[in-house]
Amino acid sequence: GNISKMLDFYSQFNPSPLSIKQFIDFGLSACERKSFIFLRKELPVRLANIMKEIHLLPDNLLKMPSVGIVNNLYATSFEDIMQFEKVEVNETTLDKFCQTLIKIRNRHQDIVETMSHGVLELKESHDVDAQTEHNIQYFLDRFLMSRISIRMLINQHTLLFGTEFNGHSRHVGSIDPSCDIISVVKDAYDKARLLCDQYYLASPELLVKQHNEFERCSEIRIVYVPSHLFHMLFELFKNSMRAIMEHYDNSDSDYPPIEVIVSRGKEDICVKMSDRGGGIPRSQMDHLFKYMYSTAPRPTQTDAHTVPLAGYGYGLPVSRLYARYFHGDLVLQSCDGYGTDAIVYLKALSNEANELLPIFNKTSSKFYRTAVSNTDWSSQCGGGMNTRQLRMS
Ligand code: W6P
């Protein structure tokens, strides 16, 4: 019908990535009308790009009820924005547009759970081969990144021009032009500690240090979205706390502290979080970022003593997407038997912090059809080793 024509049309355009600096400049100078004109094209482009990709999912997964629900929600939101395609721009239009964006944001609130439910449905009803798992990993990274980016656009518009606007705050929409990293670290620690105390009746201490290479002793500040940083650090703290609490005997009251170092160099700001929670073997490392692995029924789930503080849900992979969204990264390194370091890398300069967006084109669609090769390296290390990882990393 008409919607599939419009989808074809808008999916031909590449999304336009914005830098944090552009978000800031736009927020400080632009009027609501300009933002409206930009979004009524950019939002359908981003929606259409990822909707086209949903259709390339393995047939088995496409048939899952949850995936059908997700697909319909996207179609509805796409149609909602199509209403503004050729309207006259006046006060009423702008107000209606804001309301529509808020409606879309609420509609898509729980879509990550719905999608992960679809993946579970697939796992329970079919044997998932390596190829399918590979495609699902590729898709979910792109789908969830697209979602992060669309929510960023919606939040900026509604926070700047809607009733949510707060003129007294230094924030520009969801961006803090002077985000104090260490206070976000402490905030995330406090919130994770609350959960840890609740489950384990104790919690490890926090030690924070900073190193500012250029302005010694001054706080390390960054132009960033504090809620994104909080999301990543909260997730990492929960994982470290769980590892520490599970690694030591309940009778030990001296848990080794979690150490965080925040550093600022020319290009990067790094937040390194180190725990002495016993570490994880290398063979488990890649699994921590796998959606299919994380949705596996956990062995500890029925064990009343290990109420999961951190459940290895989509927490880590999604946190890494938040980091990558503005061209940062999140990496884990572990010494098996000792402890784990997690490093969050952020771009120090806001003009280098560009959105990283999935683009739907021939290359991306080819990916879903290309077989994963495991014939170019020997594989003699037993069941745990997956040669595909070598090729991919
Ligand atoms: C662990 C496992 C893990 C995952 C993510 C962050 C920290 C940690 N520590 O033992």
Side-chain angles (χ1 to χ4, degrees), residues 50 74 105 108-113 142-152 322 358:
I50 204 66
Y74 270 77
R105 184 171 62 202
H108 291 245
Q109 184 85 49
D110 301 323
I111 235 166
V112 182
E113 283 75 26
R142 297 165 66 81
F143 174 77
L144 297 173
M145 189 66 107
S146 161
R147 180 175 183 274
I148 288 170
S149 84
I150 290 168
R151 292 180 90 76
M152 179 76 193
Y322 273 112

Side-chain angles (χ1 to χ4, degrees), residues 186-239:
K186 289 182 175 158
D187 192 22
Y189 168 80
D190 287 338
K191 300 265 158 53
R193 181 183 204 175
L194 230 59
L195 295 181
C196 188
D197 282 331
Q198 213 174 313
Y199 292 136
Y200 298 102
L201 305 175
S203 51
E205 295 294 318
L206 170 68
L207 279 176
V208 201
K209 283 187 218 147
Q210 64 159 14
H211 181 85
N212 197 337
E213 183 68 11
F214 301 106
E215 312 149 70
R216 303 271 161 157
C217 301
S218 68
E219 302 141 309
I220 297 177
R221 291 180 177 270
I222 186 175
V223 189
Y224 204 69
V225 185
S227 61
H228 290 185
L229 183 59
F230 178 90
H231 185 107
M232 300 177 241
L233 295 173
F234 181 56
E235 180 62 29
L236 294 176
F237 272 123
K238 285 190 292 181
N239 280 285

Side-chain angles (χ1 to χ4, degrees), residues 235-236 239-240 243 275 277-280 288 312 316 332 334 339-342:
E235 180 62 29
L236 294 176
N239 280 285
S240 284
D275 69 58
I280 28 178
L288 295 183
Y312 296 141
L316 284 173
L332 297 178
S334 199
T340 303
D341 287 353

